Amino acid sequence: MCNEGRNLLLENAELDDTEIRKGVQMAVDSVLENLSRSAQMISTSEEIAQVATTSINGDKDIGALVARTIELVRKAEGHIFITVFSHPHIYFFTEKLSDLNDVLSLLEIANPLLIIAEDFDDYLLDTIITRKLTAGIKVCAIKTNVPPDLFIPADCLKVGGTSRADTSKKKSIVTHAVNAAKAAIEQGIVPGGGIAFLNASKVLDKLQTANSDQKIGIQIVQNALKMPVCTIAGTAEVEGSVVGKLLGQDNPNLGYHATKVDEKCFNAAGEFVDLIKEGILDPLKVVRKVFIGATWPVVAVRRSPVTFRRSRRWSGNLPARSGGDSDDLPARSGNFPAKPMVVQQSSGEVR
């Protein structure tokens, strides 16, 4: 989008960059509204696992782990958190924690420490924070309703590795999966594979513009929205037929699965499928951020003069200056012009 907008302005001096930016902004607002309307909310453990699995390139074990963890946290009415603690000591309190001696004892014997309680007295939290800052104790306190029969399954809530680097890598993967699942729960999901963008490009045909320059701005965004699907289909050498069929159909979840395996001959044979059912999906929150991040430079682009100056090379150290102009500088060395060379670029012309 940035390249297309810049090239249009440089090649066509008569275009109004302000009007083009207005058209781009109109398209951005329309696309964001369309994406929000088309999102599907999720709630079941199976749907959460699907989102988490997709976000980390198909690791179903971690996807299922994230889904079980979120369900467990929901039952405890708490929050999802990721901590860098290694082998923390975890203590549950099914009632309000108010005894300072209990906290002091834990701080003395356990590090790192995770305390989960129904509530904390304020002075206890002050004590925990003070010890964390002054003594460097790794401690985390979580306020939540803890059911008396709460238990942690042996195969849940733990990530490890054969080395510190391996553990750090797995923790990063799990963090990414958790964030994707949280984003999907918060705002819903849309079909992946570029289909959400392709569907949104259709609504731009109906936008009313005040002039042809605004129309150009809308077209810049519309072309960019088609690129993900075009790239996938182009890799499979079926770009024209795939994009044309998808643009002409009404099922918002229908997309092209370029690597779908034919079960009869076990060869990759791309086909049209329901992307949501196939697990090819994206959290709306992520899609919106990607789109906004890609379009804001285009909205900000404008044609403005640019000046380049070639500096002269000097031999020796520059003397201290108390004012004056460039004639105060020492004699130049090398084959450089007496005056700086100035190149001004404006409206696509170099003078």
Side-chain angles (χ1 to χ4, degrees), residues 314-335:
W314 307 106
S315 59
N317 297 322
L318 291 177
R321 296 176 58 183
S322 59
D325 53 26
S326 59
D327 294 333
D328 295 330
L329 295 174
R332 54 193 172 88
S333 64
N335 297 321

Side-chain angles (χ1 to χ4, degrees), residues 44-94:
T44 67
S45 180
E46 292 77 12
E47 292 171 329
I48 295 171
Q50 192 177 46
V51 171
T53 299
T54 302
S55 70
I56 50 177
N57 298 323
D59 193 323
K60 294 183 178 180
D61 292 335
I62 292 182
L65 170 66
V66 169
R68 289 199 305 271
T69 303
I70 290 178
E71 286 299 311
L72 179 65
V73 173
R74 280 177 170 177
K75 292 178 181 179
E77 299 180 13
H79 301 279
I80 304 169
F81 62 93
I82 298 294
T83 175
V84 296
F85 293 172
S86 176
H87 304 297
H89 300 268
I90 305 175
Y91 291 87
F92 290 94
F93 294 87
T94 57

Side-chain angles (χ1 to χ4, degrees), residues 139-323:
V139 56
C140 178
I142 298 178
K143 175 182 175 181
T144 182
N145 294 324
V146 183
D149 59 346
L150 176 67
F151 70 96
I152 302 180
D155 61 343
C156 186
L157 279 169
K158 294 185 292 184
V159 178
T162 57
S163 64
R164 178 171 294 183
D166 188 33
T167 301
S168 177
K169 179 180 178 181
K170 288 186 176 180
K171 176 182 174 293
S172 177
I173 293 174
V174 173
T175 300
H176 185 75
V178 169
N179 289 338
K182 290 172 64 179
I185 294 172
E186 181 181 344
Q187 295 187 8
I189 58 173
V190 294
I195 293 300
F197 288 143
L198 187 67
N199 292 337
S201 72
K202 300 177 186 179
V203 304
L204 301 185
D205 292 330
K206 304 176 182 179
L207 286 183
Q208 299 296 319
T209 58
N211 52 60
S212 60
D213 289 342
Q214 290 182 6
K215 187 66 176 179
I216 290 175
I218 292 174
Q219 190 64 53
I220 291 173
V221 177
Q222 195 170 42
N223 292 341
L225 290 171
K226 298 176 183 178
M227 286 307 299
V229 170
C230 289
T231 301
I232 293 173
T235 302
E237 300 182 351
V238 290
E239 179 178 347
S241 60
V242 166
V243 177
K245 179 173 181 178
L246 292 175
L247 284 173
Q249 57 85 32
D250 296 325
N251 181 358
N253 295 335
L254 184 67
Y256 184 71
H257 196 329
T259 58
K260 182 70 174 179
V261 176
D262 189 335
E263 296 180 357
K264 295 181 180 179
C265 58
F266 300 100
N267 292 325
E271 64 180 61
F272 295 91
V273 298
D274 186 309
L275 296 177
I276 297 295
K277 291 181 180 179
E278 290 289 328
I280 303 175
L281 46 85
D282 296 308
L284 171 63
K285 190 174 185 179
V286 175
V287 171
R288 285 174 56 91
K289 285 189 175 182
V290 169
F291 178 66
I292 293 173
T295 55
W296 78 260
V298 188
V299 177
V301 70
R302 65 171 58 242
R303 182 192 291 115
S304 58
V306 180
T307 301
F308 302 94
R309 294 184 181 274
R310 177 188 293 172
S311 62
R312 289 175 284 176
R313 296 179 182 175
W314 307 106
S315 59
N317 297 322
L318 291 177
R321 296 176 58 183
S322 59

